[in-house]
Each structure stands twice: as C-alpha cells, then as structure tokens.
Amino acid sequence: MAASACAPVPLLAALKHPLAAGGMETPRFRRRVRTLERAVLRGPRPAPGIEGLLNAVRSSYPEEEQLDALGWIDRLAPSVRHFSELLDSDAVSLIDLLSAHNAVAEALAATEEETGDRRLWAGEAGEDAANFLGELVEAVRDFPPIEGRSYGAFLEALMVGRVHRPRYGTHPRLAILGPLEGRLQQFDLMILGGLNEGTWPPDPGADPWMSRPMRAEFGLPSPERRIGLSAHDFQMAASAPEVVLTRAERVDGAPTVASRWWLRMETVLRALSLQDKIGRRVSIYPHWQQALDAPKKLEPVRPPAPCPPVNVRPRKFSVTEIETWVRDPYAIYAKRILGLKSLDEIDEDPGAADRGTMIHDSLDLFVREFPEELPPKALERLLEIGREQFAPAMLRPSVHAFWWPRFERIAEWVIAMDAPRRAELSRIWTERKGQIMIRGPLALVELTCKADRIERRADGGYVIVDYKTGAPPTDKQVRAGLSPQLPLEAMMLAMDGFSEIPAGAIGALEYWRLSGGEPAGERKPLKGKLEELIEEAEEGLLQLVAAFDDPATPYRSRPAPEHAPRYSDYEHLARVKEWSAAGEV
C-alpha cells in the first residue's frame, strides 16, 4: 500500500484485511472502507499518496459525511506518510524501515478498546510473525542502508522461506505434508501429488556463478543430489500400505510430462501385463465429481418479463432514456424500479464515457465564455480550457498519448467550422436543461433533457446539435424511433420546454461526430422533413407511454434482438447469454 502511493487495489487489500480496524470497532471500520471504495476508489484512480486520497474524499463525499471519513483516514495518515517517505529514499537503514512498517501495521490493527500490537502479534500466526520480525531486527542492525524501493522485494524474499503451521485445530486424520515430512511419518493411505517432471523431481536449474568442477572443489553437492533425494522421498512415500499417484496432465493450459518415476512404473507394469490395473479404482472419482454438478432436470431459461404494478412504474424520463426504453425495457426496470446501478471497476482506466464528458465540458465552457463571436486566439483558448478539463486524467498514459492529441484535432476542427458559421447565428446556448409534461392514459409523464448545443439563426430558426464522440445513429434508426433523442429535443423546444430559450421553429437537427481521427470532426444533419420526423417522435413517445401504462405490459429484455443496444449494464442480470443461447433471440 505504501510503496504504491495508496493505489486503490493494494490500499483495499490492506484496509480489508481481517485484522484491520483503523482505531475503531471492526464492523464500523469495514462499513467506512466500503463507502470509501464506492465513492473514491472505483473508477479512475485518485491522485497518488495519502494527500490525494484525502482530496478525493473532500471532492467526492457529501458534506455531512466528509468529517467522519477524513477523521479515520487522518488517524492513519502520519504513519503511512512517514513510511512512504522512507520508501522513496535513496538510502535508508533497514531498522528505520522495519520500525515504520511496524508502526503502520499496528496503527491499522488497533481498535477502540485494544492496541494494535496486542491484536497483531496474538495467536499462533501472530507469534510466528513476531518471531520473524524479532530475528530480522537482530540480523540487520549492522546492515548497510538500502534503497527504499528495494524494501518490498527484500522483505518478500525473506518471508517466502518462512512457513506457519498451526499447532492445534488440524484434522485428526488428514495431513498435507512435504516430501521430507511425509517420509518421517507413517500413514495408511498416501497420496502423492504433482508427479510431473520439473516438480517431482524438481528442476535443479543452472548455476550462473559456479560450474560443476568449481562446486566440487568448494565441497558443494552436485545439482543431481537433489534428484537423488527426491527419488529417496518418492521410494519411501510409495512404500506405504496404500498409495494413490496423481499428476496434472495440463498446467495453465499447457501439456505436461509425467515424472520419470511415473514413466518407469508404467513401463514395469506394462512388461508384467498389469497395465489394465492402472487407475481402475480412481476412475470412479471423475464420475462422482460430474455427478455433483449434474442437474436432475434441464429447463431452458426464459427471457425475463417482469410486470410491476403501475403505481411503481417511473413517470419521469430523460430523452436518452427513451432510446433505452424502446430497445431494452428491462434496463429501465432494473435501473428505475429495482434501483440497481452498476459499480465502476476498481482503479479503472478512464473510458469512452469519461472522454466524452471531458470533450463536452470543454466545448460547453468555451461557448459559454464566447456565446456570440469568437476571440482572436480562439484555438489557444479552447485548448487551454481543454487542458483544465483533462488535467485530472493526464497522469494516465492512455489519456496523455491518445486522448489529448485527438482533442487537439477536434479543437482545430471545431474552430475552423465554427468561425464562418457564427456569422449566420444570433445566439448559442450549450448544456441547457429542458422539461415538458406528456399526458398519458393514467397520469402525466415528465420528459427532461440536457441539450448539448442550441443555435439561433439570424432568421429566428433553431439548430439543435448533439455531440457524439462515438458513432452517431443513422437516419434510418432515427426515423424508426430507435434513436429519438434529437427529434424529442426539437419537440421540447417547440413546446417552450427550455426556460431560457423562447419557443420557435426548428431549422435543422445535426449530429457532430467528434472522433479526433480522420476526419477529426464531421457534421451529420438529419435529412428529410423535420416536421414529420418530430411528429413521428411525439406519436411514438405517446404510444410507448400508453403501452407501459397498461399493467399487463412487461418490461422485456431485448424485445427486438436486432435492435438491442450495443452495451447494457444489466445483461448479466437478465441472463441474456443463457436464454439467447437457447434460440430465443
């Protein structure tokens, strides 16, 4: 955790350790850690270090929860900060590192009623860990300073050789032992596992420092001695009253070679015509394993079609949700009725949605600053605003290397396209919220939107623009009612749905594809008669509202598979892959 500057994954690994309590009751501490995970650590990584974590809490938590979150993190901050500073040092004594490491561990393990050292070093495992630490402190007192960055590898190399074996509470009839321990004891049934070449006997490897004659001159054993010891272990274990020999035919998907002793036994048994005896008894085990998971009856999963009561069905939608409502009603059911929301991945790289948000925000701030005429150095100002919006994610290599150069090309295209265009406009609004009420069979339905850009021409007509950092919908999809966002925004503008923008006629509906590639941007106006398109969108919306006001209408998952959304957070919940594999789509 300290060496990675409190990166989300190692930070959560430490905070979720069974002994972690952070100076409070364990259940209360775990609730706070889960809140921290959801609010700060899922999604893009916060700034590095404990200070970055505190700043992320201040910006992400509600004000009433900030004081509590900052309190428990502040209690851990001094020891973590000191340990991290030592790990960044070019030369630091191992005693100082061990002391700082111990201080962080004990601060994290402490509770309200018990100190960290009493909890951390208690029990058999704690006693073994304390003995290891004590021996290490005595051994490194005269050790020269090391680089702080090497401490993790140094400590891990020493800990690998230490094994903790519980003294009590083990199974009275079952023991899992190594070859040396196994040959020192007697058992009725001995199972020899891992009989693959390279595992038993182990690969002696190549000594990069000493040749065989040099080893002999120094009195060191030859590499083959380990093979002889392994053969002795095998002979002793295989002489038990009853023996089961096992091996893995594949490791990580790659085929393996049987141990040389396995192959010799097969050769002897074949010479004695006893090869049919091999595996006779153990052949029933795979059958038992398969029987554990074999269902009594195969029943295909049907596509979900929940029918909730009308009084719990949502009465408020955004124009973007209408497309989801048409293509995948089950997603509306899961999100709006069940109240389920997908969690971001821990330490997730910024995705397409984050890129779109940064580009939208940059263009919004630029147009708000210059709603009428462009300034003399418009491109420089737009790039300056873009840097401010991209700054939190610039530490990510993918953002710096790929996203930012694409935004530079997008900015050039926008300025080049917008300069002559503004001569024909009287005003521009960006990111403006709209709201209207639609009358349904049972009650009113509220329709909301947030228009990316609305332009008013000199002749009084309006142009509604939707920014698309991905692929915009086709004219065919819009006319079929599958992507009705722009026509619905036009309907809202015509119905005086934007408080700051007077109602008026619609002159054009356009998608601006802002990819940053070749070309960097592209205008795609919707073709045909806009009045008919807006009327069809309104009629389709009214039909949709009427259909779901009927209590018998279910929220089906992907009712028309050919028009299913490209991505949905609720596919796994709807078990799409199970029923679609059965030929239901």
Side-chain angles (χ1 to χ4, degrees), residues 33-309:
V33 172
R34 287 193 289 269
T35 302
L36 178 72
E37 176 185 339
R38 290 192 299 268
V40 173
L41 302 179
R42 286 188 174 271
R45 176 187 299 190
I50 199 76
E51 298 302 331
L53 189 64
L54 292 170
N55 291 333
V57 169
R58 294 187 185 99
S59 61
S60 302
Y61 273 58
E63 289 187 10
E64 62 274 10
E65 299 179 14
Q66 284 187 21
L67 188 61
D68 179 65
L70 295 173
W72 71 264
I73 297 175
D74 271 332
R75 284 197 292 272
L76 298 173
S79 57
V80 175
R81 191 180 292 113
H82 176 59
F83 190 29
S84 299
E85 289 172 356
L86 293 180
L87 291 172
D88 289 335
S89 302
D90 293 330
V92 59
S93 73
L94 279 167
I95 292 294
D96 291 342
L97 284 168
L98 289 168
S99 176
H101 190 174
N102 182 66
V104 177
E106 290 185 355
L108 189 58
T111 66
E112 290 181 345
E113 301 177 352
E114 198 171 6
T115 60
D117 56 344
R118 291 182 63 86
R119 296 188 73 235
L120 199 59
W121 313 119
E124 294 180 15
E127 184 180 345
D128 284 351
N131 291 336
F132 167 76
L133 184 62
E135 294 172 10
L136 186 56
V137 168
E138 291 297 326
V140 301
R141 288 192 181 278
D142 299 324
F143 206 84
I146 66 170
E147 288 187 2
R149 292 180 293 273
S150 304
Y151 175 68
F154 171 83
L155 187 65
E156 184 178 356
L158 294 176
M159 292 177 69
V160 164
R162 300 295 290 258
V163 179
H164 165 66
R165 299 194 185 280
R167 301 184 186 93
Y168 307 103
T170 57
H171 196 282
R173 299 177 60 195
L174 174 66
I176 301 177
L177 306 173
L180 175 60
E181 297 164 310
R183 78 166 183 248
L184 295 177
Q185 302 181 53
Q186 291 186 348
F187 299 91
D188 296 330
L189 172 63
M190 185 78 76
I191 302 175
L192 278 62
L195 283 169
N196 289 331
E197 196 70 17
T199 303
W200 202 342
D203 184 5
D207 190 339
W209 307 110
M210 302 183 70
S211 64
R212 293 173 184 272
M214 292 172 64
R215 292 180 66 89
E217 189 173 347
F218 274 92
L220 297 176
S222 66
E224 286 74 19
R225 185 173 184 275
R226 293 182 62 194
I227 298 178
L229 290 175
S230 185
H232 178 60
D233 295 338
F234 175 80
Q235 179 188 3
M236 295 292 292
S239 299
E242 189 173 359
V243 181
V244 176
L245 308 179
T246 70
R247 79 179 193 90
E249 293 184 346
R250 288 180 174 271
V251 174
D252 294 333
T256 60
V257 177
S259 168
R260 61 192 68 182
W261 302 309
W262 180 291
L263 296 176
R264 288 179 184 177
M265 291 185 68
E266 281 188 336
T267 302
V268 171
L269 291 171
R270 192 176 298 110
L272 298 173
S273 300
L274 298 175
Q275 63 269 22
D276 59 331
K277 306 289 185 182
I278 300 175
R280 175 178 294 179
R281 177 176 175 182
V282 299
S283 62
I284 61 173
Y285 298 149
H287 173 71
W288 288 357
Q289 188 271 336
Q290 293 173 6
L292 288 174
D293 298 324
K296 295 180 180 179
K297 180 181 178 183
L298 289 175
E299 192 169 328
V301 176
R302 305 293 300 176
C307 259

Side-chain angles (χ1 to χ4, degrees), residues 518-574:
E518 288 294 337
E522 187 178 3
R523 285 178 55 202
K524 291 195 170 185
L526 290 179
K527 300 175 183 178
K529 296 182 179 180
L530 296 182
E531 295 81 2
E532 294 181 1
L533 187 61
I534 296 170
E535 289 176 3
E536 291 172 358
E538 181 178 4
E539 182 180 351
L541 177 60
L542 292 173
Q543 291 176 356
L544 192 64
V545 170
F548 281 89
D549 274 354
D550 181 355
T553 301
Y555 286 81
R556 297 187 183 277
S557 175
R558 307 171 120 192
E562 65 275 14
H563 301 312
R566 284 173 289 185
Y567 173 78
S568 172
D569 288 327
Y570 306 101
E571 282 188 6
H572 66 294
L573 186 65

Side-chain angles (χ1 to χ4, degrees), residues 444-465:
L444 295 176
V445 174
E446 182 181 349
L447 184 66
T448 65
C449 79
K450 191 174 184 182
D452 289 344
R453 176 167 170 148
I454 299 177
E455 303 173 342
R456 186 169 189 175
R457 293 175 175 173
D459 59 5
Y462 287 99
V463 179
I464 302 179
V465 177

